[in-house]
Amino acid sequence: MRLAPEWLLTVGGRQDWFEGEESDHLAGASVETSDHAFTGRVGLTWLHPSGLAPYVSWGQSFLPTPGRDAEGRPLEPTRGTQYELGVKYQPAGESVWLTAAVYDLTKRNVVTYDPVTFDARQVGEVRSRGIELEAKVSLARGLDLAAQYTLNDIENTADSNAALVGKRPTLIPKHLAAAWLDYTVQGGDLAGLGGGLGARYTGSRYGNAVNTVENPSVTMVDAAAHYTTGPWRLSLNAQNLFDRDNGVYGYGVYYQGLRRTVTATARYRF
């Protein structure tokens, strides 16, 4: 609803009904579960003629969780509440898009795993506070830059195991960053030919619940070449161009990361 020329109110509501059944064919037994929840969200934005748009929002979440805990009980749905304060900026007539936001998110009924037996447990609460920055800018004709950064300060705020309170959940980095620069020739015989180069940074991550094992941070480089002519777009994309080892240790096992991957694509627009 537009409350005034410069004020925009967004209100939303959602009702979920969930039914599930888990069967143990060896034991010849099954367990049925059901749940329901209403979640809402509210946002208020101030639209300034300069292109500046500060906003504030509140929202809830509900997500059914499959599986059972160590005692064989079905896991409860996770529920969350988020508060966010931010600003967006897009000046009229300019190819500039900037956003900044701070957030506070609390999630309850979080599934955690026993550090010794690795059995699922669900008595926890996790709080995440952070900052998100994003920029999309046209530096010149055909030259575009996109960059983003996330600071995610997350910790367990409640757990049946007191030793895990205040610890960072397994395999979640505190810092994430990415940048991508793309250029496309705008005229002449090479019009439509272009390429891009970018980098992705993932901060260090703990490999266990008690935060005694830490995976190092990693930076990977991506590249692309593309050509657009008429309805056709041909592209060649390379992820992890320099084949960096980006596997992580977590929950007692080692997870192999995605190594160098090259993909060729042809698209036709009707």
Side-chain angles (χ1 to χ4, degrees), residues 212-261:
T212 57
V213 176
E214 188 173 8
N215 296 286
S217 61
V218 62
T219 300
M220 291 179 287
V221 175
D222 302 326
H226 50 80
Y227 178 62
T228 303
T229 175
W232 285 97
R233 180 177 174 86
L234 310 177
S235 60
L236 187 67
N237 296 274
Q239 291 181 276
N240 193 5
L241 182 64
F242 299 115
D243 201 25
R244 289 288 307 276
D245 182 3
N246 58 102
V248 292
Y249 174 88
Y251 304 108
V253 298
Y254 181 79
Y255 297 91
Q256 176 67 57
L258 183 66
R259 303 304 294 260
R260 182 192 296 120
T261 303

Side-chain angles (χ1 to χ4, degrees), residues 128-165:
S128 177
R129 293 175 172 173
I131 301 172
E132 291 184 340
L133 305 174
E134 184 176 1
K136 296 180 180 180
V137 183
S138 180
L139 303 176
R141 190 165 177 259
L143 182 62
D144 299 316
L145 172 67
Q148 58 187 33
Y149 168 74
T150 299
L151 167 64
N152 187 18
D153 187 10
I154 183 172
E155 66 176 23
N156 299 316
T157 50
D159 199 288
S160 59
N161 186 346
L164 300 184
V165 176

Side-chain angles (χ1 to χ4, degrees), residues 42 111 121 131 185 219:
V42 178
V111 178
R121 297 181 295 110
I131 301 172
V185 178
T219 300

